[in-house]
Amino acid sequence: MKSVAEICSDLIRFDTTNPGSGERPAAEYVATLLADAGLQPEVFESAPHRTTVVARFEGDSSDALLIHGHLDVVPADPAEWELHPFSGEIVDDCVYGRGAVDMKGSCAMTLATVLGMRARGLRPRRDLVLAFLADEEATGDYGSRHAVTEHRDLFDGVTQAISESGGFSVTSGPSRVYPIAVGERGTSWMKLTAHGVAGHGSRPAVDNPVATLAHALSRVASHQWPVRLTPSVAALLRSLSEITGQPIDLERLDDEADRLGALGTLFKGQIRNSANPTMLSAGYKVNVVPSSAEAHVDGRYLPGLQEEFLSTVDELLGPKITREFVNLEDAPSAPYPSSFFDELGAALVAEDPLARPVPYVMSGGTDAKSFARIGIEGYGFAPLMLRPDLDYFGMFHGKDERVPVEGLEFGTRVLTRLLTHP
Ligand SMILES: [Zn+2]
């Protein structure tokens, strides 16, 4: 049987850059592993080479748990890396390559867990649905969104899901904090357009859309979004002050996030909505005032705050800018406290006595949003014990992405325990 590190290396060697040539070879590899273990994977494509694999592993209860991961990765420039990003080499006990952390390492843990259980004749406590998806690094249109609309039946009976962006360790003094995601900020990607009057660039401008848009974007970019403490983030802050033994001043949360270093990154981007201008285009010649100008803004809002977010954006933009959504997605939120959260935490503590599980909200988004649409409660739980010197957040979409072999082995033990122990 292949080890978790070998599976991780194998997956990294398939160049599944998105946008790129698609996930098919990686999906076929996954399907072969699952079929060899006696499962019956379904392989389907939303477009040529945009491939997803789903398999069901029957357990003792039909209340099913979904474990989903994505097979695509963001681009990597080999010139910036010490080792080739698609080499999958193991050096210094780490598997190197694009996707090691996000999230082929997690896919490898899921596969190693399931293959190990099959080899030992272990049945899961509840039905497991395993999904290895295309297109998470874009909008999921070719992956999770397609899967929940066109292959809804494959997820029958699923009530809860676990996936990326949680369950990893952040070392703090003598304890290891493991954030488990119980929600995500919502996504509001917007295209803004300013209309004006075209004319000669040498004449006094009457209604210049470039200037109108620039003013509006400047208001958006410099807006100080007020702190909004959602219940999950408030719970996280309580846990962190308990773990560190020091109170956290709720009136000065930005300073407190900086003071707490790695632990501060768990809430720094999760205490308010945000909107960042990211793309801009207008005009075609230096002496021509164009009739319109366009920009894109990446907006994110906390669970429950979509309305407040959009009305603030509209106020900042003013009446002369029209806004349309390129992508609008709800901010999903899973129950916390909950018995399932406790199960996830207990599986970590059983394998790492120093583990301190805490609730956490993701600042960005994942495929959990698509599954939330069909009523599945998503938790970010891809267990990984990391060395204190590894900058986990820095490696997401960063260069020299790598994951410790022992971290992967730890995660595989935690998952096996979660799926099999009462
Ligand atoms: Zn990811």
Side-chain angles (χ1 to χ4, degrees):
M1 207 178 75
K2 276 182 187 281
S3 71
V4 63
E6 284 172 307
I7 298 173
C8 183
S9 294
D10 288 349
L11 286 173
I12 287 170
R13 285 190 209 106
F14 298 107
D15 178 353
T16 54
T17 302
N18 186 5
S21 55
E23 298 83 359
R24 188 189 283 176
E28 283 171 347
Y29 168 86
V30 169
T32 303
L33 285 184
L34 294 171
D36 288 349
L39 299 176
Q40 286 157 349
E42 300 246 4
V43 179
F44 54 86
E45 296 198 325
S46 51
H49 299 272
R50 304 310 307 270
T51 319
T52 286
V53 184
V54 178
R56 192 173 281 254
F57 182 177
E58 271 182 32
D60 298 328
S61 150
S62 59
D63 169 26
L65 173 69
L66 167 66
I67 307 181
H68 59 95
H70 60 87
L71 295 173
D72 62 327
V73 293
V74 292
D77 178 1
E80 294 182 345
W81 287 55
E82 263 178 54
L83 298 172
H84 195 280
F86 300 107
S87 67
E89 272 187 68
I90 300 178
V91 179
D92 291 336
D93 297 318
C94 282
V95 188
Y96 268 78
R98 176 55 89 220
V101 168
D102 183 17
M103 68 170 293
K104 286 174 169 173
S106 310
C107 292
M109 290 193 292
T110 303
L111 286 163
T113 300
V114 167
L115 301 186
M117 286 169 64
R118 298 291 292 184
R120 290 154 63 196
L122 292 174
R123 253 170 91 86
R125 285 191 289 141
R126 49 200 286 208
D127 277 9
L128 287 182
V129 175
L130 312 163
F132 301 86
L133 298 147
D135 202 33
E136 193 273 346
E137 296 293 1
T139 55
D141 279 341
Y142 292 104
S144 59
R145 288 187 184 181
H146 171 85
V148 299
T149 50
E150 304 300 320
H151 300 273
R152 172 74 185 78
D153 54 312
L154 294 175
F155 306 98
D156 280 351
V158 175
T159 54
Q160 288 156 331
I162 55 173
S163 189
E164 64 184 318
S165 296
F168 53 88
S169 64
V170 180
T171 302
S172 162
S175 36
R176 272 187 288 269
V177 175
Y178 288 77
I180 297 174
V182 297
E184 301 183 352
R185 292 200 303 170
T187 305
S188 169
W189 292 346
M190 297 166 287
K191 180 181 158 193
L192 310 179
T193 310
H195 294 281
V197 179
H200 198 287
S202 71
R203 298 180 55 90
V206 186
D207 187 5
N208 184 337
V210 177
T212 306
L213 185 64
H215 287 307
L217 286 181
S218 153
R219 290 192 295 273
V220 169
S222 57
H223 181 63
Q224 300 289 321
W225 293 87
V227 169
R228 293 280 180 263
L229 263 195
T230 58
S232 313
V233 177
L236 167 68
L237 295 174
R238 280 195 300 276
S239 300
L240 291 182
S241 69
E242 205 180 291
I243 291 166
T244 59
Q246 285 171 355
I248 293 177
D249 185 349
L250 299 184
E251 303 301 314
R252 300 171 48 251
L253 280 176
D254 294 294
D255 297 338
E256 292 291 67
D258 293 340
R259 174 178 70 81
L260 287 165
L263 291 180
T265 57
L266 300 179
F267 64 85
K268 193 175 172 116
Q270 288 85 339
I271 52 176
R272 50 169 70 88
N273 300 328
S274 64
N276 279 317
T278 49
M279 290 161 73
L280 195 54
S281 79
Y284 52 91
K285 199 166 183 298
V286 67
N287 59 351
V288 179
V289 174
S291 61
S292 67
E294 286 176 9
H296 284 74
V297 170
D298 181 349
R300 312 281 175 150
Y301 58 91
L302 286 158
L305 294 182
Q306 190 193 85
E307 220 171 286
E308 176 184 308
F309 170 78
L310 292 175
S311 69
T312 304
V313 165
D314 286 340
E315 235 168 80
L316 293 168
L317 293 179
K320 295 183 79 174
I321 307 282
T322 56
R323 117 176 116 69
E324 10 174 355
F325 293 116
V326 180
N327 187 20
L328 177 70
E329 287 207 275
D330 261 344
S333 186
Y336 175 82
S338 68
S339 58
F340 187 57
F341 183 96
D342 293 344
E343 279 179 36
L344 298 173
L348 284 169
V349 174
E351 295 295 338
D352 177 4
L354 296 180
R356 300 294 298 267
V358 296
Y360 160 70
V361 172
M362 274 179 267
S363 68
T366 71
D367 280 335
K369 287 185 166 62
S370 299
F371 292 106
R373 289 180 182 193
I374 57 169
I376 297 173
E377 297 166 354
Y379 290 84
F381 187 77
L384 196 60
M385 194 204 282
L386 290 170
R387 300 197 290 243
D389 59 309
L390 276 183
D391 175 13
Y392 179 76
F393 292 106
M395 282 192 295
F396 263 87
H397 301 188
K399 66 186 177 73
D400 293 325
E401 191 178 338
R402 62 201 184 279
V403 64
V405 172
E406 60 181 358
L408 293 172
E409 290 167 348
F410 167 79
T412 307
R413 290 196 300 276
V414 173
L415 283 178
T416 306
R417 183 175 285 275
L418 172 75
L419 302 180
T420 58
H421 286 54

